[in-house]
Structures are given as C-alpha cells and as structure tokens.
Amino acid sequence: MRKERLIVPLVVGLASLWAVAQYAASLLFERELVRMLSDLEARGELVVERVAVERGWLSSSGRVAIAPLLGDDWQLAFTYSARHGVLSTRLDGELHPTLGPEQQRLFGDALPSSAPRWHARYQTLGGTLEGSIGLSPFVIHQQERELDFQGGQVTFGGEYGDWWLRARLKPLRLSDGDTTLEAGPSSLESRYAYTAGAYHFTQHDLLHLDQLTWRQPGLVLDGSELDYRSRMELDDSELRIEGELVLGELVAEEQVLLTGRVEAQLSRLHAEALRTLLSRLREEVMQAHRYTPRELIERLEPEFKALLQDSPRLDISRVDLDSPMLGVSVQGEGVLIFDPRHLDELRVARLDDPEEQAHWRRRLDGDFVWRDVPTVVTLWLGLPLSTQELVVDVIRGKVRVNGRPLPPLRR
C-alpha cells in the first residue's frame, strides 16, 4: 500500500516533467526557426515568408518561401515536418524551386521527376542543426540545348550566428549544338558567421572544380584544378570583399595556355550607408507601386552615392599568370582608388550614358606594376627593348604606361 502511494505521485510527476520538457522543446524549436529565418532575411538580399504553419507539442509543420528582393527570376520553397523529442527534433521535407515570373516548377514541370527531399536533426540543448539534401540526376532538353546533371549531395548545419554548407556535385554537361561545356566534379564550401540582425557578418566561400572543358568547332579548352576563394566582411566601418582565383592549368592544343593566380580586395565601402541602402531598398520594393530599375535607382541615388564617401579602393595584391603557349607571363600588383569629392555631380541612374561614364572614370586614380615584362609587350607599346618593368598609372581616368599615353588597343 505504501509503495502504491509512492508510485502514483512518482508516475504523475514524471509524466508532468515529460510534458513540460516536450512543450519546452517545441517552443525552443519554434523560437530558433523564427530567429534563423529572420537572420536570413536580415542580410537584405532576400525575402522570406512562412505560411501554412501548424504548431504542436509532438509535431509541427509549415512551408517557407525564399525569393530575391529584386526580380522574379526564381523562388525556393521548402516544406518541413518536425517531430519533437525532449532532446532533439527530427525534420524532413521537400524542396520546390520555381523559375521565372510564372513560377514554373523545376521538378514536375521542367523536369519529369519528384522534388528532392531533405532531412535534418535539431539538438534542443545545444541549439545545433545538421542536415542533408540528396540531388538526383536529371536531364533537361530545350530545342538543341541539353543540360545533363549527374547528381550530388549537400550537407548543412550550425547554430545561431554560425552556419556552414558543403556541396559535392558530380559532373554536369551543357550542350548547345556543336558547343559543349563540361564541369566537375566540383565542390562548394561556405561558412557564414554574424551578429544579431546581420549588423556584422563574415562569409567565406570556396568553389573547386576538378575539370572544366569547353568544346566548339576549331577550339577545345581543358581546365583543371580551378579554385575560387572569397571572403566578405561587414564591420562597424566598412564592407570588404577579398577574392582569389587559382588556375591549375588551362590547356589548348595540348599546350598550357594559362596557369597561375590572381588576388584582389575591394574595401572602404561605407558600412552604415550599406545598411541604410538595404533598408531603404526593402521599403521601396515592398510597396505596392512597381518602379522600373531606373526609377528605383533614382529614388535611392543618395544612398548609392553614400556608399562611396570613404573613397572605395580596389587592391590587386597579386597577379602571377603564365602562358607557356604564348611565351608571356604577368607578375605584379596595383591599386585603384575612387575620388569621393563632390558626389552630387554624379548620377548613378545615368551610368548607361557614355558621357556620364566619362565623369565616373575621371574619379579614378591608381597604378599597376608589371615586372619582368616580355619583349613582345614592350615592342607593341613602343618602349625600349631593355624595359624590365611597366608602371601603368591611372590619373583622373587617363592611362599612362611608363609616363607615356596608352597606345590605341586596336591598330
């Protein structure tokens, strides 16, 4: 009898504890999902909407649509079904990408195949998420064009403020008549770390191609071991974008046409002006009135020009290219700086006008040093054959080479 008196309260207590823990787990999942989607939208380039939401203690579901802030070229929607546990939540769903303003379904309309499924697990205590997406092979035909994709795997994960993505893709082949482009196998690694509201963020990306081949009548180009690395950072003062392109080998006619690397950085884009521009851009786009691109730029012209107030700078920190086939190599570095004085004299919305383009070019100053210049280049420029170094100066948009005006590019 005494045991029964103890067992009943114990069972009730454990059941109550489980119910509270289960309820807390579902609330934590919902909070983290809302926060993750808000942070995704905070960067400013995307619009995120969640619909058909059903919340529960044991399970929940919904649909999330992601689209670019500007344009209607694509939309990515995914469904999710979450089964909540005390320690973790299991998720799965489908991806539904659509193309164009008509929102043509990629899987089902353009491709006679089912939508890819995704799976993930969210750890309640640690707040971490890990998942994967399997990409099935497919072939798209459009008149003489054909896209043959052999499939791949995408994994993703992270926690609030720090997310990563890895993609491993099998070769793909794009053909148009007698012209073909083959790429892969390839891989993409990306990491995105940020503070609340994406006020500060850093994004690292690495794209690697094992092979890249271009074929057309009379020309075959084979590239191998191609890498592109980038780093984008927004802090209190500026937005900086660093990039590095590495060419293992680009081969034509069984000879190495090009190999080497290029490193560059764009900096001194005013940080607060960028945040203001993205905020104003979202306000304008979300309004019912549909502006043309020119009208939108005109309305945001002060914000666009404010980006330039700290004198943006392009540093070409390293150029190391070699062409054994042509007998030409380039080793050097340089810098290009924009003059931000009297920005009211410039018109961003008229950049398609040649006269306005000339006004912008006159704001550019910089120099580039090319060491160990090949003789053929000095001959073409009309310089002494003993010239070992070229100094390319940009003075108010005008280019001079070793103190002389740049000769016409076409003769």
Side-chain angles (χ1 to χ4, degrees):
M1 200 63 167
R2 291 179 180 177
K3 290 183 179 179
E4 292 179 358
R5 292 175 182 174
L6 292 174
I7 290 174
V8 172
L10 181 61
V11 171
V12 172
L14 289 175
S16 301
L17 184 61
W18 175 86
V20 171
Q22 183 71 38
Y23 181 63
S26 63
L27 287 180
L28 287 172
F29 168 78
E30 178 67 23
R31 186 195 70 176
E32 290 304 310
L33 178 60
V34 170
R35 190 160 64 163
M36 180 184 70
L37 296 178
S38 298
D39 289 335
L40 182 63
E41 194 174 45
R43 275 280 293 267
E45 307 99 326
L46 301 173
V47 177
V48 181
E49 182 182 13
R50 189 162 66 123
V51 296
V53 178
E54 294 185 5
R55 303 180 181 90
W57 280 24
L58 300 178
S59 64
S60 58
S61 61
R63 183 176 183 273
V64 177
I66 302 172
L69 181 62
L70 295 177
D72 50 13
D73 295 335
W74 62 270
Q75 184 184 84
L76 176 62
F78 66 87
T79 60
Y80 69 89
S81 176
R83 295 178 298 281
H84 305 299
V86 174
L87 298 180
S88 66
T89 294
R90 292 186 178 184
L91 300 104
D92 59 65
E94 292 184 343
L95 296 179
H96 297 279
T98 57
L99 306 174
E102 297 83 12
Q103 294 191 7
Q104 181 189 31
R105 293 181 304 166
L106 179 60
F107 298 97
D109 293 337
L111 294 174
S113 61
S114 58
R117 295 195 62 81
W118 66 277
H119 306 271
R121 180 186 289 269
Y122 171 72
Q123 300 294 337
T124 304
L125 297 180
T128 60
L129 177 76
E130 286 195 15
S132 64
I133 306 167
L135 302 177
S136 301
F138 62 79
V139 179
I140 300 177
H141 296 277
Q142 187 180 48
Q143 297 179 354
E144 293 187 359
R145 300 185 183 92
E146 179 184 276
L147 174 61
D148 183 357
F149 176 63
Q150 298 182 26
Q153 183 78 14
V154 178
T155 57
F156 57 89
E159 57 187 339
Y160 175 73
D162 190 359
W163 297 96
W164 56 265
L165 179 144
R166 300 186 186 99
R168 300 291 183 267
L169 306 178
K170 295 179 180 179
L172 64 84
R173 182 175 182 271
L174 176 63
S175 61
D176 185 358
D178 294 332
T179 302
T180 62
L181 173 66
E182 298 180 13
S186 61
S187 65
L188 171 66
E189 297 187 7
S190 182
R191 186 163 186 174
Y192 175 53
Y194 57 92
T195 60
Y199 190 81
H200 297 156
F201 68 79
T202 302
Q203 180 169 334
H204 298 263
D205 297 292
L206 169 60
L207 175 64
H208 173 80
L209 287 174
D210 284 357
Q211 298 287 331
L212 183 67
T213 302
W214 174 272
R215 289 186 175 90
Q216 68 181 56
L219 176 64
V220 177
L221 295 174
D222 287 299
S224 62
E225 302 300 322
L226 282 74
D227 289 326
Y228 175 72
R229 294 180 177 85
S230 69
R231 181 177 185 271
M232 182 186 303
E233 182 177 2
L234 178 68
D235 58 23
D236 285 331
S237 60
E238 65 177 334
L239 172 70
R240 292 186 300 277
I241 304 172
E242 302 172 12
E244 178 187 18
L245 177 64
V246 179
L247 302 173
E249 284 188 346
L250 185 62
V251 177
E253 301 293 335
E254 299 183 353
Q255 297 186 63
V256 178
L257 175 62
L258 190 63
T259 183
R261 68 178 60 212
V262 177
E263 299 175 14
Q265 173 181 271
L266 177 63
S267 61
R268 301 204 303 215
L269 293 171
H270 196 274
E272 197 56 42
L274 176 63
R275 297 183 185 102
T276 302
L277 171 62
L278 293 175
S279 176
R280 287 273 292 111
L281 182 61
R282 181 173 294 275
E283 291 174 5
E284 296 291 347
V285 171
M286 292 303 180
Q287 290 180 5
H289 184 80
R290 293 286 183 177
Y291 297 107
T292 66
R294 182 183 288 273
E295 289 173 338
L296 188 58
I297 293 174
E298 286 176 346
R299 293 181 65 85
L300 299 176
E301 184 135 345
E303 287 79 8
F304 276 111
K305 289 192 286 191
L307 284 174
L308 311 175
Q309 61 187 282
D310 286 344
S311 187
R313 174 183 177 120
L314 175 64
D315 286 277
I316 305 172
S317 53
R318 179 180 180 183
V319 177
D320 187 1
L321 298 173
D322 187 38
S323 176
M325 173 186 280
L326 302 178
V328 175
S329 63
V330 181
Q331 288 85 35
E333 63 277 328
V335 62
L336 197 62
I337 299 175
F338 181 83
D339 182 356
R341 292 175 294 181
H342 308 296
L343 287 172
D344 57 299
E345 298 175 358
L346 301 175
R347 295 291 177 268
V348 180
R350 293 180 54 82
L351 266 173
D352 56 345
D353 178 37
E355 185 175 345
E356 183 65 24
Q357 293 172 11
H359 291 323
W360 286 75
R361 282 196 299 270
R362 285 195 287 270
R363 300 298 187 107
L364 298 178
D365 295 280
D367 60 73
F368 181 83
V369 178
W370 182 350
R371 296 182 296 275
D372 299 324
V373 183
T375 303
V376 65
V377 175
T378 60
L379 285 171
W380 178 73
L381 293 173
L383 297 172
L385 295 180
S386 59
T387 302
Q388 296 293 313
E389 185 175 271
L390 287 185
V391 178
V392 181
D393 292 306
V394 181
I395 304 171
R396 293 184 57 80
K398 300 238 176 135
V399 180
R400 300 180 70 84
V401 180
N402 285 17
R404 303 180 182 185
L406 180 70
L409 298 179
R410 294 183 180 180
R411 292 184 173 179

